[in-house]
Amino acid sequence: EAGPEGRSIRRPSPSPRGRQTSRNRQTSQTSRGPVAVDEDLAAPQRRRGPAHRKTRGWEIHYLLRTVALDLAVGLIAAALAFDLRFGEVTPYNQQYLVLSGLLPLALLVALAVNRAYERRMLYVGTEEYQRVLGAGLAVTAAVAVASYSLSIDLARGYVVIALPVATTACVLTRFANRKALHAARRRGECLRRVVVVGHELAVVGLT
């Protein structure tokens, strides 16, 4: 622009820092508006509501109940074998009291090693029962090998009663536990949310 005396006067242009500041302000102003809403809609967060906690809770409860039943079965089988084989406690059979206390723990370890507590095995199918039978056979084989290699004189009647009874009762209690789960699901409890994709008639058949 020209001054009063005809001289040209240059006004200082805004500095790059000022431009950057104005841009940042515009960006911050727009981020306070609909942009924040769009970001929330584009990347929704998982909601942890009561349904999620309830679903996880019944699975943990089912697993703990299964472990408790296996432990109780082992204790009952060991007590039954001791009572049928010996009848009463004497200095001769006191070691079998210790063995009766270790038998349930050995059964739990064998079941865990044989993956009989995995979630994918517990609710459907026959794989769970096969793994229980495999764990029972493993415990029986381990007792036989240990008795032979260490020259331990075990009463065969005790072993024959305790291990088969524990294995069979374990299968039966797990079957009853699963039937109780199925009854709860018929009442609308202990369910999982799933997404079914397919034709309408096939989806209606599943539901």
Side-chain angles (χ1 to χ4, degrees):
E1 297 180 0
E5 298 179 357
R7 297 179 182 178
S8 61
I9 301 175
R10 295 182 179 179
R11 293 184 178 181
S13 60
S15 61
R17 180 179 300 177
R19 295 177 182 175
Q20 184 177 2
T21 304
S22 62
R23 291 177 182 176
N24 292 338
R25 288 178 180 175
Q26 292 177 0
T27 305
S28 62
Q29 289 177 1
T30 55
S31 63
R32 296 174 185 172
V35 176
V37 178
D38 294 339
E39 291 177 356
D40 293 340
L41 293 176
Q45 298 180 355
R46 176 182 292 181
R47 297 180 180 178
R48 297 182 179 179
H52 178 73
R53 292 194 295 268
K54 185 177 180 180
T55 302
R56 188 178 179 182
W58 74 259
E59 291 179 353
I60 296 176
H61 179 71
Y62 185 88
L63 178 60
L64 293 178
R65 185 170 58 186
T66 303
V67 174
L69 287 174
D70 294 340
L71 184 62
V73 161
L75 288 173
I76 294 174
L80 180 63
F82 185 89
D83 184 67
L84 294 179
R85 176 59 179 83
F86 303 107
E88 59 182 7
V89 180
T90 62
Y92 167 75
N93 57 29
Q94 287 181 355
Q95 58 181 352
Y96 288 94
L97 290 177
V98 179
L99 183 60
S100 299
L102 295 178
L103 178 62
L105 300 178
L107 182 62
L108 290 182
V109 171
L111 290 170
V113 171
N114 209 29
R115 298 184 299 177
Y117 294 113
E118 290 188 2
R119 292 171 56 185
R120 61 187 181 91
M121 306 289 182
L122 291 179
Y123 311 123
V124 293
T126 60
E127 185 68 22
E128 176 186 1
Y129 309 126
Q130 295 177 6
R131 293 187 180 275
V132 171
L133 293 176
L137 293 176
V139 174
T140 304
V143 170
V145 171
S147 176
Y148 178 77
S149 59
L150 299 178
S151 300
I152 300 176
D153 188 14
L154 289 178
R156 296 180 180 179
Y158 176 85
V159 177
V160 168
I161 296 174
L163 296 179
V165 169
T167 304
T168 305
C170 187
V171 173
L172 294 177
T173 53
R174 283 175 176 249
F175 179 77
N177 194 21
R178 184 181 295 186
K179 287 300 181 181
L181 175 63
H182 293 173
R185 285 179 171 176
R186 285 193 295 269
R187 296 192 302 267
E189 304 172 358
C190 303
L191 299 175
R192 291 179 177 178
R193 291 184 177 181
V194 296
V195 177
V196 181
V197 180
H199 296 285
E200 181 179 0
L201 294 179
V203 173
V204 171
L206 288 177
T207 56

